[in-house]
Amino acid sequence: DYLYGYYGYVPALEDISVSDLKGYVHFMKNGKKLQSHPFKPTVDTPITDTSIRTYLVDIRTFFNYCVKNDYLIRSPFLKFTMVKRENVLIVPLFQSDVQIIDKMYSKRDFHNSRDLCIVHVMLDAGLRSGEVCRLQDDNIDFSHNCIYVRYGKGRKDRIIPLAPSLKLKLSRYINIYRPDNYVGYTFISADHEQLRPITENTIEALFARIKKR
């Protein structure tokens, strides 16, 4: 959209220059979030530098592919300075915050036990959302008090110590509250009697509910 709006046509790949990339950054910095999105409405907030950098990284990857496969001689990114991410202060959860979350999910049933375990697997063991979704029962070694994370960041495996408090929560969830005779993914959705692994949208919705409370 930017190139067409600026030139009135889409230039050939070999004609795109560093100036075009700088113009695109300026265009994005003055735009709105989700501007020109094909399915979602525009949000009246500016686009962050982190988002702009993400878009640029995708574009750079495309140009690198073109160079590698001899569609281009060189990439315009060779002389382009990438936008830096914002240095946003991340405020950690304090013990009092965790206690409030624990009280939110103190009711003893499937969904509350599952959600409590998801929160603590991420807080106590440091698993990312995708790793939580892919976690399976045989990745949790209750005998040796550890969790095996398969295909984590960078497609690397790692071993995480299983804290006693988290071990107890997971054991209760798997053996008491989760549907009987189920073996497979640790965290599942049990809607309409269809057992399937949760998705990252499930985790996003979970933390959105926590934030609202």
Side-chain angles (χ1 to χ4, degrees), residues 110-121:
F110 165 72
H111 284 99
N112 280 278
S113 179
R114 182 201 65 181
D115 292 350
L116 182 65
C117 284
I118 290 172
V119 169
H120 278 277
V121 163

Side-chain angles (χ1 to χ4, degrees), residues 100-199:
I100 292 172
I101 294 173
D102 288 349
K103 289 181 180 179
M104 289 169 54
Y105 296 100
S106 60
K107 187 177 179 181
R108 297 187 176 185
D109 59 24
F110 165 72
H111 284 99
N112 280 278
S113 179
R114 182 201 65 181
D115 292 350
L116 182 65
C117 284
I118 290 172
V119 169
H120 278 277
V121 163
M122 299 183 75
L123 290 179
D124 301 346
L127 270 67
R128 301 173 178 86
S129 58
E131 295 169 345
V132 174
C133 295
R134 294 190 298 271
L135 187 67
Q136 299 191 33
D137 289 350
D138 58 7
N139 299 145
I140 305 172
D141 190 338
F142 288 102
S143 298
H144 297 91
N145 299 320
C146 61
I147 298 175
Y148 300 96
V149 180
R150 308 295 186 186
Y151 300 103
K153 187 175 182 180
R155 297 184 64 81
K156 295 180 180 179
D157 296 345
R158 67 185 191 277
I159 301 175
I160 306 295
L162 180 59
S165 58
L166 178 56
K167 178 180 179 179
L168 180 60
K169 291 181 179 68
L170 286 169
S171 180
R172 285 176 175 171
Y173 161 68
I174 292 172
N175 297 307
I176 299 176
Y177 300 113
R178 202 175 63 179
D180 295 336
N181 302 321
Y182 175 84
V183 177
Y185 288 97
T186 302
F187 298 113
I188 59 172
S189 295
D191 298 323
H192 306 295
E193 299 183 353
Q194 294 182 357
L195 304 181
R196 57 185 183 276
I198 63 170
T199 66

Side-chain angles (χ1 to χ4, degrees), residues 48-60:
T48 65
D49 286 349
T50 298
S51 294
I52 295 174
R53 180 183 173 87
T54 300
Y55 301 147
L56 289 170
V57 168
D58 291 341
I59 297 171
R60 182 178 63 184

